[in-house]
Amino acid sequence: MVMDVVAAAARLEAAGRRIIHMEIGQPGAAAPASAVAAAQAALATGRIGYTSALGNASLRRRIARHYAEQHGADIDPERVVITTGSSAGFMLAFLAMFEPGERIAITSPGYPPYRNVLTALGCKAVPIEVTSATRFALAPAALLAAHREQPLKGVLVASPANPSGTMMTADALTALIRAAEGEGIAFISDEIYHGLDYAFPAQTALNVSDGVVVINSFSKYFCMTGWRIGWMVVPETLIRPIERLQQNLAISVPTLSQVAAEAAFDGRDEMERVKRGYEVNRRILMEGLQWAGFGQFLPADGAFYLYADVSRFCGDSLDFARRMLEEAGVAATPGADFDPVHGRGFIRFCYAGATADVAEAVERLTAWLKRG
Ligand SMILES: Cc1ncc(COP(=O)(O)O)c(C=O)c1O
């Protein structure tokens, strides 16, 4: 559905309208200058060959150091696997960990490719509804109830989450991992929005257990979506199976992107400035939408999303998104993409663009809602 919104926005732009884009979840800023410079220097050498399937050793070491610096975690670089974005990390994890027919719990709302990729691989995605009662985090009781209905093989959560922007507290994450591990349910933690936390610091699952699989990416915090580069941290037992899969599926991850990614860690100051921009955008959007009467939205703890309940304005947020686009010139994503059951009451705004655009969107939406 988000692609329908994108296409409709493009048609309006072709007709001369100025549209404010808040539908696609990607940063408006460029990759760190250090990353771009490293890639240019590598390109100038002329030869860009394969790397080993698990990735450049120096990048794997740099990522392990990142866990020591940011989370006080001691990670063996051997457990770090470089991937073609976190998207490829999911595929490698699912292929290495699960067999067709096995049940894997995900949250609803949640990022649609979890469900789609699991389904494509013949696994059964088991959506579990998350509610305000648990701050939209998957609670151990809900996980165990689904497991009792029919055994689960795995569970996947994201914190900060997409589309909700909500985060699990360290205690909630720990309790969930302990509950999963107690029942032999494999735990996958999507930490792609780590670094973009505003309400409280995001906790890595690696600080709770060595048995979890962590998936992360340079796409969001480091603004490198198009470079298609990410990583996983896996338990020792999964290193070899994932190496074999990667050798066969991709040989290796694009070398230029690996070089750039390693240098991206030197651009953290630049990325912290970008993050401060998101914080300003978040405040403008939250205050503005409240003022405009949008009223209810989920706690926007992290990432760069605000998931607003628009059910009192419409029966279907797809219609709402269409009208908002045509009449106010603001593009956002209808919630049905993320939650087939309750999503029709919600809309997701991405505030990763320019602050001036977010401010203008708030003005336009305020005027639009006033017009009725
Ligand atoms: C929660 C979540 N996980 C994973 C991804 C995939 O990102 P990438 O493959 O660029 O790392 C996205 C992209 O929007 C996302 O929102």
Side-chain angles (χ1 to χ4, degrees):
M1 283 180 193
V2 68
M3 287 310 161
D4 291 347
V5 175
V6 171
R11 278 195 298 276
L12 291 172
E13 280 171 328
R17 290 273 303 279
R18 188 176 117 68
I19 302 301
I20 299 178
H21 290 276
M22 302 182 82
E23 74 278 39
I24 301 277
Q26 77 171 335
S34 53
V36 176
Q40 279 167 339
L43 202 52
T45 68
R47 184 170 187 279
I48 305 292
Y50 293 131
T51 69
S52 67
L54 293 173
N56 269 339
S58 57
L59 174 57
R60 295 168 72 200
R61 278 197 302 273
R62 185 64 192 86
I63 290 170
R65 200 175 109 202
H66 160 80
Y67 283 101
E69 289 169 356
Q70 298 296 317
H71 297 282
D74 183 16
I75 301 297
D76 181 352
E78 288 300 314
R79 293 174 53 204
V80 178
V81 179
I82 308 306
T83 60
T84 310
S86 68
S87 300
F90 293 115
M91 194 129 77
L92 290 168
F94 298 164
L95 281 168
M97 298 166 76
F98 308 131
E99 297 301 327
E102 287 180 339
R103 287 161 43 89
I104 291 89
I106 55 174
T107 62
S108 188
Y111 180 56
Y114 302 151
R115 184 176 60 224
N116 297 339
V117 176
L118 284 167
T119 307
L121 295 176
C123 297
K124 174 101 184 69
V126 180
I128 302 179
E129 193 183 329
V130 289
T131 67
S132 58
T134 57
R135 201 187 173 81
F136 301 92
L138 179 55
L143 179 75
L144 297 178
H147 186 57
R148 272 195 300 275
E149 258 173 40
Q150 231 185 307
L152 293 166
K153 188 68 199 280
V155 56
L156 192 176
V157 297
S159 171
N162 178 8
S164 62
T166 57
M167 277 170 59
M168 299 181 83
T169 61
D171 285 350
L173 183 68
T174 304
L176 188 65
I177 293 174
R178 298 265 181 268
E181 290 190 337
E183 294 293 326
I185 302 169
F187 196 91
I188 304 178
S189 180
D190 179 356
E191 300 187 352
I192 184 170
Y193 292 103
H194 269 216
L196 303 177
D197 42 10
Y198 318 108
F200 49 89
Q203 161 90 328
T204 175
L206 294 168
N207 271 344
V208 182
S209 166
D210 283 338
V212 299
V213 168
V214 162
I215 298 185
N216 208 321
S217 173
F218 289 87
S219 289
K220 308 292 170 155
Y221 177 81
F222 288 106
C223 302
M224 294 177 72
T225 46
W227 296 76
R228 310 308 303 128
I229 179 96
W231 75 87
M232 316 164 76
V233 181
V234 303
E236 253 166 53
T237 48
L238 282 178
I239 300 173
R240 200 54 193 130
I242 288 178
E243 182 178 27
R244 285 200 297 262
L245 281 165
Q246 181 106 286
Q247 281 163 344
N248 284 276
L249 288 171
I251 302 182
S252 65
V253 170
T255 304
L256 209 51
S257 298
Q258 294 194 54
V259 171
E262 190 175 335
F265 286 105
D266 298 332
R268 284 193 68 93
D269 288 350
E270 196 184 337
M271 294 299 105
E272 285 298 308
R273 280 196 295 279
V274 174
K275 177 180 174 179
R276 284 197 286 280
Y278 299 152
E279 286 186 272
V280 173
N281 295 356
R282 170 179 176 266
R283 189 175 43 73
I284 292 173
L285 192 63
M286 280 170 61
E287 288 175 7
L289 291 189
Q290 218 137 29
W291 174 246
F294 261 78
Q296 278 183 305
F297 30 81
L298 270 49
D301 299 326
F304 31 55
Y305 302 118
L306 191 136
Y307 199 53
D309 183 342
V310 292
S311 56
R312 66 198 175 93
F313 299 114
C314 63
D316 185 346
S317 58
L318 181 58
D319 287 341
F320 188 82
R322 277 202 195 109
R323 278 202 297 120
M324 195 170 82
L325 176 63
E326 274 160 29
E327 296 166 17
V330 177
T333 306
D337 269 352
F338 309 103
D339 176 353
V341 180
H342 301 291
R344 288 188 186 278
F346 286 84
I347 207 151
R348 187 196 72 177
F349 291 94
C350 171
Y351 55 83
T355 298
D357 282 353
V358 174
E360 189 179 339
V362 165
E363 266 174 38
R364 288 184 185 194
L365 292 174
T366 308
W368 178 61
L369 281 183
K370 262 204 198 120
R371 286 201 301 271

